[in-house]
Amino acid sequence: MTNSNKKIRKLEDSVIRLIAAGEVVEGPSSVVKELTENSIDSGAKNITIEIKNGGQDYIQVADDGEGMSTDDLLLCTNRHTTSKIFEASDLEEIHTLGFRGEFLASLAAIAKLSILTKHVNSAQAFNLQIGPIINNKFQSLSLRDLQKKQRTQGTTIEVFNLFSDIPARKSFMKSPKSDTSKIIELIHSFRLASPTVKFTLKQDRQILFQTQGVLEKQSESKNIFNGLIQVLGKDTAKNLIEIKISDKKALIEDQPWIVSGWIGKPSESRPTRQHQYFLLNGRLIKSKILSNAIEQGYGTFLARKQFPIAIIFLTGSPKNVDVNVHPAKLEVRFRDENLIFSLITELVKNTLMNQGVSFSPITYKKDELTVKNKTETINIVQKPLLRTNSEVISPKTTTASVSEMKITKDSTEALSEIVEEIYDPMVDIYDESTTKKKGGVLSMNHVIKKSAVKNLQPVAQFRNLYIIAEDPENPYNLYLIDQHAVAERIALEELLRTKGSSDEKIDRNEKSSSKREIRRQKLLVPLTVNLSPQSMDTFREVKSLLLKFGYRGEEFGTNSVLIHSLPLFFGRNRLLRHSKGKESLIQDFRNILDSVSKGLISDHSPLEVEIAKLIACKNSIKAGDYLDHDEMVRLLKKIADADFPFVCCHGRPAIFEINNKEIDKLFWR
Ligand SMILES: Nc1ncnc2c1ncn2[C@@H]1O[C@H](COP(=O)(O)OP(=O)(O)O)[C@@H](O)[C@H]1O
Ligand SMILES: [Mg+2]
């Protein structure tokens, strides 16, 4: 159409509905979401959802809520009709899940609906059939459009052939399988949000699952937890850490939000944010702010591209949040974003710090391993190699598991392959493939308290990788320590405690052991490092951060840097004494810049922390370094002083505690 023909006209109601429908009806799972929210808003205690073909052919949501009067039934599919808000000021304080009054109207535009409802004060149930827009003109409805039916109190809404008359959208529909799994996930989240409601999900008349639904307040959190077991699996749910702000603190500090819930231990992290649930006054929301706040709380405990598990309940006045941001009401805006951000970050950080983290060997989860030789290995990995849970391994079961392991030549090789893949700390931690395999391979059964590692003494070094240690005052535990992982964490803490300084004086005054500044080792002959143009740019960008952490570098020609001094902190001291080759010092520096310029760093923490992590990693005791007794003693002493020695900079476990009972079990004592 050319501009000269331009003419504004008012769109037909049917077209307006179609436009709106495009926004709010995304697919079967969004229909289930909206209908279920309506049921929850109606005060239902039992909600049954039934789907056929992933919801594409048929969706039914039935509840025992208050139902609708005939007046309401005739209105509910009109545009902008709602019983939940009345005037503009109500928008400032929304107490229900719905409020926009547009979902049923939109749904009726794109599918055939049947609404059967019996109001709490009515003796009779009524049925309305409506839609889709192609067949109906949506003239105003009257009582003649309703049929009398039988039903107990509540509402049943059926949706037939979603989008079948809208070919453009129909062709975008996903596979029914993925719709089903989305719906399952959704109902599980509803269960977390509304633990007092009993949800039943049926597919093709068969019950897929049913939740408990409890009425007493006390059982609520238990029911939520049962829900978590369903969503996350027993092993993972068992290893969640509870978080809460005590009500007292909230009162004292006049916090507008009460926060509670669970977070996963760092090593239970996942490659997506799929297992982060935020429930704001019973509303399931997505929130970048909350995700970022949590991840920031984990900080350096998280591996790159790993996201923590979190189930966070926020309770507060609806006045402090605007839910009218997004047609699907998934996103919200907090009145004070900074406050909520720091509240959550601090809470997560403190919870992790106080808890201590436990990595307890060793149950392999077969589904999380990707091994080439699948059939051969699964028999083996299903069996725990060493159990640390409380159940007693009787000699009989042990024998059985040994015989079941079918140790053929191939399978033993396969086993060693897996163990190597998981445990070999010499593998470069920045290697994509190892990061992926790592998450959640170990199950963690008990917590190591920080006090437990205050007095460790070395027993021996094993394979130049691990230190075996004990606590003479508490001879019941054995400790296995990954020397590189702890050294790296200790170095990181040391680096992050430093105050920035670009002051030249430090260079001249090498011996000043000011606690707050990283000491530097000045080089008699500067090292020349050749860099790619990309890394050269990165160098310019992060030069001052490098200086803060002890590397004083200077541009030299187009593509090289002269290094005048190196950081001198725990780990590094030792390396220099053992006169680490010049080549490897250059290589380390180049690796640090390459990792930053290629984006091989995590985005969970600020760049400064990421640089410190790289420097700590490159300059610490490495896997494969022989340590003499004194060096082990020194390292273990550093563990005692560390804030959080249990995981390395990348979220890998650093210390295991094994109880003597667990060892005795191995020997059937
Ligand atoms: N399951 C139900 N039980 C009782 N009333 C319902 C139910 N579903 C919808 N309604 C009524 O229909 C109205 C319109 O629903 P909807 O289009 O989803 O808008 P909203 O939920 O935003 O109000 C609701 O305000 C409510 O009064
Ligand atoms: Mg609604």
Side-chain angles (χ1 to χ4, degrees):
M1 201 189 329
T2 61
N3 256 356
S4 54
N5 288 336
K6 190 179 113 182
K7 189 162 182 286
I8 295 178
R9 50 182 86 75
K10 173 132 177 60
L11 292 173
E12 292 246 342
D13 182 60
S14 57
V15 182
I16 297 175
R17 279 175 189 255
L18 271 180
I19 292 171
E23 228 175 16
V24 289
V25 192
E26 196 212 316
S29 72
S30 72
V31 174
V32 172
K33 172 178 179 287
E34 293 286 340
L35 294 180
T36 309
E37 285 187 348
N38 281 346
S39 294
I40 293 171
D41 282 342
S42 80
K45 285 291 153 237
N46 289 282
I47 301 177
T48 302
I49 298 110
E50 188 172 345
I51 53 174
K52 287 184 185 148
N53 196 28
Q56 296 186 7
D57 294 353
Y58 179 76
I59 297 171
Q60 182 196 94
V61 176
D63 66 55
D64 59 355
E66 67 172 345
M68 282 183 264
S69 65
T70 47
D71 286 351
D72 283 355
L73 179 58
L74 291 171
L75 278 178
C76 71
T77 53
N78 282 8
R79 293 186 55 228
H80 309 304
T81 49
T82 179
S83 56
K84 300 172 191 175
I85 58 172
F86 293 94
E87 52 194 33
S89 62
D90 290 342
L91 274 176
E92 285 170 24
E93 196 172 334
I94 287 174
H95 292 267
T96 48
L97 297 175
F99 59 91
R100 298 171 64 101
E102 64 181 355
F103 184 72
L104 290 181
S106 304
L107 188 60
I110 47 118
K112 182 177 163 228
L113 295 191
S114 157
I115 306 176
L116 171 66
T117 186
K118 178 172 173 291
H119 190 252
V120 54
N121 296 331
S122 163
Q124 182 71 52
F126 292 90
N127 179 235
L128 168 71
Q129 310 230 0
I130 192 167
I133 218 157
I134 304 289
N135 308 331
N136 283 55
K137 274 283 178 236
F138 288 102
Q139 63 281 68
S140 56
L141 297 165
S142 71
L143 276 176
R144 263 177 295 134
D145 297 302
L146 303 183
Q147 285 142 354
K148 288 186 180 172
K149 284 272 166 71
Q150 289 305 311
R151 196 202 187 280
T152 50
Q153 180 197 324
T155 305
T156 304
I157 299 190
E158 292 169 287
V159 185
F160 302 89
N161 302 328
L162 203 58
F163 294 121
S164 62
D165 292 316
I166 322 285
R169 186 58 86 90
K170 180 91 183 165
S171 61
F172 280 103
M173 297 277 262
K174 304 238 169 58
S175 82
K177 241 194 186 147
S178 87
D179 284 325
T180 304
S181 61
K182 256 186 161 169
I183 290 168
I184 292 175
E185 173 89 18
L186 179 75
I187 305 301
H188 279 312
S189 346
F190 270 122
R191 167 198 196 150
L192 301 179
S194 308
T196 57
V197 176
K198 177 171 182 163
F199 293 97
T200 306
L201 177 63
K202 292 185 188 171
Q203 164 140 285
D204 303 323
R205 295 191 181 261
Q206 292 203 323
I207 293 186
L208 284 185
F209 71 86
Q210 191 159 45
T211 74
Q212 209 112 55
V214 281
L215 291 171
E216 332 85 76
K217 193 89 185 147
Q218 307 90 288
S219 324
E220 250 182 53
S221 108
K222 202 168 146 215
N223 191 33
I224 292 175
F225 200 77
N226 283 340
L228 287 177
I229 292 179
Q230 299 247 350
V231 185
L232 301 171
K234 212 173 181 172
D235 285 344
T236 308
K238 240 178 20 197
N239 282 303
L240 294 172
I241 310 170
E242 192 166 4
I243 59 166
K244 56 172 163 242
I245 295 186
S246 71
D247 293 352
K248 225 160 97 207
K249 189 173 173 227
L251 276 179
I252 293 168
E253 297 182 5
D254 198 24
Q255 296 282 14
W257 296 102
I258 305 236
V259 186
S260 63
W262 290 271
I263 53 175
K265 290 175 185 166
S267 63
E268 289 280 337
S269 300
R270 301 291 157 92
T272 67
R273 292 203 172 96
Q274 196 195 354
H275 291 304
Q276 296 183 352
Y277 299 92
F278 305 122
L279 301 140
L280 171 89
N281 292 335
R283 177 191 304 281
L284 188 70
I285 58 162
K286 298 253 170 261
S287 166
K288 269 221 169 90
I289 298 253
L290 295 182
S291 288
N292 289 341
I294 288 169
E295 284 149 26
Q296 185 113 351
Y298 277 75
T300 57
F301 304 156
L302 271 188
R304 192 168 79 89
K305 295 199 178 152
Q306 293 281 309
F307 302 95
I309 296 171
I311 302 93
I312 307 285
F313 296 85
L314 286 164
T315 318
S317 162
K319 280 190 178 135
N320 288 323
V321 62
D322 185 359
V323 290
N324 187 22
V325 181
H326 188 257
K329 299 159 284 158
L330 269 171
E331 276 155 41
V332 300
R333 200 172 288 136
F334 292 99
R335 202 129 293 184
D336 191 341
E337 287 186 349
N338 293 337
L339 180 123
I340 193 105
F341 189 92
S342 57
L343 189 71
I344 303 258
T345 304
E346 285 305 307
L347 187 61
V348 168
K349 209 188 220 158
N350 292 339
T351 307
L352 289 172
M353 287 288 202
N354 294 337
Q355 180 78 19
V357 164
S358 70
F359 297 92
S360 165
I362 295 168
T363 311
Y364 289 105
K365 293 181 199 160
K366 65 162 198 248
D367 51 353
E368 278 167 289
L369 293 171
T370 35
V371 197
K372 279 169 246 149
N373 201 349
K374 262 194 183 136
T375 43
E376 298 272 65
T377 53
I378 278 171
N379 283 329
I380 295 162
V381 295
Q382 274 177 330
K383 300 292 158 200
L385 293 186
L386 187 74
R387 296 220 221 159
T388 55
N389 50 15
S390 51
E391 102 201 30
V392 179
I393 305 178
S394 68
K396 211 166 129 230
T397 46
T398 314
T399 334
S401 62
V402 171
S403 66
E404 269 174 54
M405 277 167 75
K406 292 190 205 141
I407 304 188
T408 63
K409 187 169 170 287
D410 281 351
S411 56
T412 41
E413 269 172 11
L415 176 64
S416 72
E417 196 182 301
I418 302 165
V419 176
E420 283 300 319
E421 269 180 338
I422 299 159
Y423 283 109
D424 193 349
M426 293 168 106
V427 177
D428 185 0
I429 37 175
Y430 293 109
D431 181 337
E432 275 293 291
S433 57
T434 52
T435 326
K436 272 194 206 125
K437 262 171 240 144
K438 228 175 18 187
V441 173
L442 297 169
S443 96
M444 302 165 295
N445 296 334
H446 63 258
V447 169
I448 318 178
K449 293 264 179 274
K450 243 163 84 181
S451 54
V453 295
K454 286 282 176 224
N455 190 24
L456 296 182
Q457 300 299 322
V459 176
Q461 189 190 25
F462 175 59
R463 289 177 62 206
N464 292 352
L465 289 176
Y466 307 109
I467 297 173
I468 301 167
E470 64 182 348
D471 175 357
E473 278 163 33
N474 172 16
Y476 298 106
N477 291 332
L478 174 90
Y479 295 86
L480 270 180
I481 296 160
D482 181 318
Q483 62 189 44
H484 173 64
V486 281
E488 177 184 80
R489 164 63 58 180
I490 290 162
L492 176 70
E493 288 187 7
E494 221 168 289
L495 285 170
L496 293 180
R497 271 195 290 266
T498 58
K499 207 170 60 182
S501 168
S502 47
D503 198 339
E504 280 291 312
K505 265 184 287 173
I506 306 168
D507 272 328
R508 277 177 234 123
N509 187 7
E510 296 293 354
K511 285 195 187 76
S512 95
S513 63
S514 149
K515 262 192 191 153
R516 304 231 125 234
E517 277 153 10
I518 279 293
R519 288 188 298 151
R520 300 181 207 168
Q521 166 91 38
K522 193 164 183 177
L523 300 172
L524 288 174
V525 183
L527 295 172
T528 312
V529 188
N530 297 321
L531 294 171
S532 68
Q534 214 188 355
S535 291
M536 206 56 205
D537 283 344
T538 307
F539 171 73
R540 289 180 200 114
E541 218 175 287
V542 301
K543 191 174 160 192
S544 60
L545 284 175
L546 290 172
L547 182 63
K548 173 176 171 179
F549 295 130
Y551 276 107
R552 197 163 76 78
E554 172 194 37
E555 265 182 70
F556 181 66
T558 32
N559 277 334
S560 46
V561 168
L562 279 186
I563 306 176
H564 295 285
S565 68
L566 298 169
L568 202 57
F569 55 84
F570 178 74
R572 165 65 89 177
N573 309 17
R574 184 183 167 276
L575 295 172
L576 290 178
R577 220 179 43 245
H578 288 243
S579 76
K580 196 178 176 191
K582 187 175 126 192
E583 259 321 301
S584 69
L585 291 174
I586 291 176
Q587 197 53 44
D588 284 350
F589 186 78
R590 195 178 287 136
N591 276 343
I592 291 168
L593 289 173
D594 279 355
S595 300
V596 179
S597 64
K598 288 188 188 142
L600 295 174
I601 51 175
S602 128
D603 45 11
H604 300 308
S605 8
L607 184 62
E608 172 169 351
V609 176
E610 290 303 322
I611 299 233
K613 272 160 70 170
L614 290 165
I615 295 179
C617 173
K618 295 291 174 213
N619 292 297
S620 301
I621 294 167
K622 292 250 157 64
D625 284 351
Y626 166 76
L627 302 180
D628 65 26
H629 186 81
D630 286 352
E631 286 167 331
M632 287 194 276
V633 168
R634 219 170 308 136
L635 181 62
L636 296 183
K637 194 166 166 323
K638 286 277 180 186
I639 290 180
D641 299 335
D643 284 338
F644 201 85
F646 304 110
V647 276
C648 82
C649 302
H650 310 91
R652 216 158 49 74
I655 307 179
F656 277 112
E657 182 181 76
I658 306 169
N659 188 272
N660 71 325
K661 287 200 194 110
E662 292 153 2
I663 299 172
D664 288 349
K665 254 189 244 162
L666 292 173
F667 295 96
W668 308 353
R669 274 181 180 275

